[in-house]
Amino acid sequence: MIKRLAFTAALLSSPLAADDHAEASTDDALAAQVSEERLRADMDTIVSFGTRHTLSTQTDPNRGIGAAINWALDEFRRIGATCGDCFEVQSVERLIEADGRRIPTPTLIRNAVAIQRGTERPDEVIIVQGHYDSRVTDPLNGTDDAPGANDDGSGSVMILEASRILSQQKYPSTIIYALLTGEEQGLYGAGILADWVEAQGMTVKAVLNNDMIGNSCGSDGFCDAKHVRVFSEGLRADSTARLRARQRRFGGENDSPGRNLSRWLDDLAADNPDGMQVRQIWRTDRMGRGGDQIPFLDKGYPAIRITVSVEDYEHQHQDLRVEDGVTYGDTVDELDFDYLTRASQLNVRALHKLAMSPMPPKVSADAAVRVDTELSFAPVSGADAYRIFARRTDEAYWRDERPLGTKGEQWEPMITLENGQQPAEIVRYSVPLRGDDWLLGVSACSSQGYCSPISSAVPGGAFEPVAQPEGDSE
């Protein structure tokens, strides 16, 4: 039988607030270590392979995708050697048969992956990834030069730089750094990695897919050096008929884990107003296009795409040429390295906080025929407190301030257990807000003050795959 547990409610004061300054200092110090010089050096190296097209040579020691992947694997090993071999480096790969589209013959798809195991919850993972392959105008042209500087050399060099910095820290959760191939041929590398993660039985807290984070001006001349766009899905890709029916009744259309991960990253950026800011785009990806976050979303993993604020179409997916006075091609000279540096700093901050924070709880709400809402959730490993958030059903963002209760009283949004004891069963807490009118969510916080993204108390709000009925083909 589930029992009702006793709680004391406290604001974000002691003990958590005592660590706020230390947390900010750690974030600032780690972000400050991002080196534009190293980003430039890595970019020069990876474009020197001529092309990184998935169909390019895998045997030439100096040119093509084979040489590029081998260098990336060696670089991860070199970085791991600086932290006592803290990386497990491997090529997560699969032979892909001809698909009649962009894989004309059986092709080996290789991903360069480095795993930094968590010290407390090694099966709880954060994945930061970008696609390493490049292309020109013809998606089947694996021979011509395809520098792929912004698409997606920019995401690739950021991942290498983040791994250098964060490998010097120890984290409760695992970080997976992944350079994927096969993206331009149909998101194959991401699909292979998502399958591998699933086969390992890992719990995925977040996937940050960085695809093109290196230029600040668009094809029309409009420039925005202050923001990255963050794409997140609304309705879950792994939804079922039962879940859709429940969401129709109880809400959740705007509360997928990916959407709440996007909100979390937006808040993190806003806490550092001089750094890169987030412009949330509430779509899975750009119009008519896709990225490597999608295979993870298909499996029910929280995933977002981080990309430039405006796109420059003359300098992506283009043959190197000058035509009617216009220079085409994804070359290094078209990059904004200050923009790339600040986008890298945002990623480092996010990875650090995600790896330090607990897993978001799985929350349910009972508000039927009552003037309050009872939240319930199982305790989360590594959490010492739980913070409750609210927003009205027509509001886009979680409120910073505490809403007033139904009788005008204020309620405290931080739940801590008496004597700091973790419950053995279920946490229950009554919020004095009518569930018809409010959406509620819960964030899990560690004793150091690191808080997870918010998990919404709606059908499908949990940061876990949706249970699929037997025989379901959705």
Side-chain angles (χ1 to χ4, degrees):
M1 186 176 83
I2 296 174
K3 61 182 178 180
R4 181 179 299 272
L5 299 170
F7 297 98
T8 58
L11 286 175
L12 260 177
S13 54
S14 59
L16 293 180
D19 294 297
D20 284 352
H21 179 70
E23 178 186 350
S25 297
T26 301
D27 291 349
D28 291 342
L30 292 173
Q33 292 178 39
V34 173
S35 166
E36 180 178 325
E37 182 179 0
R38 287 196 296 264
L39 293 171
R40 286 179 178 271
D42 285 342
M43 184 67 71
D44 288 342
T45 297
I46 66 173
V47 300
S48 73
F49 295 111
T51 177
R52 303 185 308 280
H53 195 285
T54 300
L55 304 180
S56 63
T57 175
Q58 300 206 29
T59 58
D60 190 306
N62 300 309
R63 181 180 176 85
I65 191 60
I69 284 290
N70 289 338
W71 175 82
L73 290 167
D74 287 342
E75 189 64 18
F76 276 141
R77 293 186 187 102
R78 282 189 287 269
I79 295 168
T82 69
C83 56
D85 293 326
C86 67
F87 282 175
E88 300 170 26
V89 179
Q90 55 185 290
S91 175
V92 178
E93 60 188 51
R94 184 188 303 159
L95 182 69
I96 301 297
E97 298 297 331
D99 64 2
R101 299 182 300 111
R102 294 189 177 184
I103 303 289
T105 60
T107 302
L108 181 64
I109 305 292
R110 302 169 66 209
N111 300 317
V113 175
I115 305 165
Q116 182 178 350
R117 292 284 180 185
T119 58
E120 298 175 16
R121 304 183 297 277
D123 291 332
E124 181 183 290
V125 303
I126 302 98
I127 301 169
V128 58
Q129 63 181 31
H131 75 85
Y132 197 41
D133 58 312
S134 62
R135 58 164 284 192
V136 288
T137 305
D138 180 357
L140 296 178
N141 182 345
T143 57
D144 289 352
D145 281 351
N150 190 36
D151 187 15
D152 182 31
S154 58
S156 299
V157 299
M158 179 280 293
I159 290 163
L160 291 168
E161 180 68 356
S163 74
R164 293 189 186 99
I165 295 167
L166 300 178
S167 62
Q168 305 306 306
Q169 309 292 316
K170 292 187 182 300
Y171 292 104
S173 303
T174 292
I175 304 176
I176 296 178
Y177 309 93
L179 303 183
L180 309 174
T181 65
E183 193 267 357
E184 303 288 10
Q185 308 312 113
L187 313 182
Y188 281 107
I192 292 167
L193 183 61
D195 287 345
W196 181 84
V197 166
E198 182 181 45
Q200 303 300 308
M202 294 175 168
T203 299
V204 179
K205 186 187 299 179
V207 179
L208 307 183
N209 184 48
N210 283 261
D211 190 348
M212 295 191 299
I213 56 170
N215 75 277
S216 55
C217 293
S219 299
D220 57 358
F222 178 78
C223 299
D224 179 2
K226 295 182 179 180
H227 299 88
V228 289
R229 289 179 297 168
V230 176
F231 286 80
S232 63
E233 72 174 3
L235 296 176
R236 297 182 60 133
D238 64 334
S239 188
T240 63
R242 181 176 183 273
L243 175 57
R244 288 191 291 272
R246 294 184 65 218
Q247 287 181 325
R248 183 181 181 189
R249 290 285 307 280
F250 303 111
E253 307 91 336
N254 196 22
D255 284 83
S256 70
R259 186 62 46 84
N260 275 327
L261 179 59
S262 177
R263 291 183 175 109
W264 178 90
L265 186 62
D266 189 5
D267 288 340
L268 182 150
D271 287 340
N272 182 39
D274 294 330
M276 186 68 79
Q277 298 301 299
V278 163
R279 184 151 55 87
Q280 294 191 71
I281 308 297
W282 285 351
R283 287 192 170 103
T284 300
D285 211 313
R286 301 149 302 158
M287 298 292 285
R289 307 176 75 186
D292 279 335
Q293 75 280 9
I294 292 175
F296 290 88
L297 292 170
D298 289 343
K299 288 187 177 295
Y301 298 139
I304 55 178
R305 177 195 176 108
I306 302 170
T307 193
V308 292
S309 180
V310 290
E311 290 193 50
D312 183 353
Y313 301 115
E314 282 73 44
H315 299 100
Q316 60 174 266
H317 297 182
Q318 295 284 352
D319 292 338
L320 301 178
R321 68 193 192 280
V322 176
E323 190 174 285
D324 297 329
V326 178
T327 300
Y328 293 86
D330 190 357
T331 53
V332 174
D333 59 297
E334 296 294 337
L335 295 178
D336 180 341
F337 275 96
D338 179 69
Y339 183 91
L340 174 56
T341 299
R342 291 185 295 109
S344 300
Q345 290 172 333
L346 175 64
N347 273 271
V348 167
R349 291 179 187 275
L351 291 166
H352 170 72
K353 287 197 172 186
L354 285 168
M356 288 295 292
S357 69
M359 193 74 188
K362 180 180 180 179
V363 190
S364 60
D366 181 6
V369 197
R370 55 193 296 172
V371 297
D372 64 348
T373 302
E374 183 177 75
L375 299 178
S376 61
F377 53 91
V380 175
S381 178
D384 293 272
Y386 302 92
R387 187 175 182 186
I388 300 172
F389 290 82
R391 71 180 200 273
R392 289 196 176 275
T393 60
D394 61 346
E395 291 178 334
Y397 303 104
W398 298 106
R399 293 189 173 203
D400 290 329
E401 76 278 6
R402 292 168 291 168
L404 295 178
T406 54
K407 296 181 180 179
E409 75 274 13
Q410 288 185 327
W411 53 278
E412 306 293 3
M414 181 63 73
I415 305 171
T416 56
L417 294 174
E418 290 180 350
N419 303 319
Q421 296 295 314
Q422 282 285 358
E425 300 178 63
I426 297 295
V427 178
R428 295 186 184 278
Y429 188 69
S430 179
V431 179
L433 296 174
R434 287 179 167 84
D436 290 346
D437 303 338
W438 293 86
L439 290 166
L440 297 169
V442 180
S443 170
C445 301
S446 71
S447 60
Q448 293 82 23
Y450 292 96
C451 294
S452 73
I454 297 166
S455 179
S456 294
V458 297
F463 278 56
E464 65 180 23
V466 174
Q468 301 292 318
E470 288 189 17
D472 186 47
S473 60
E474 293 178 313

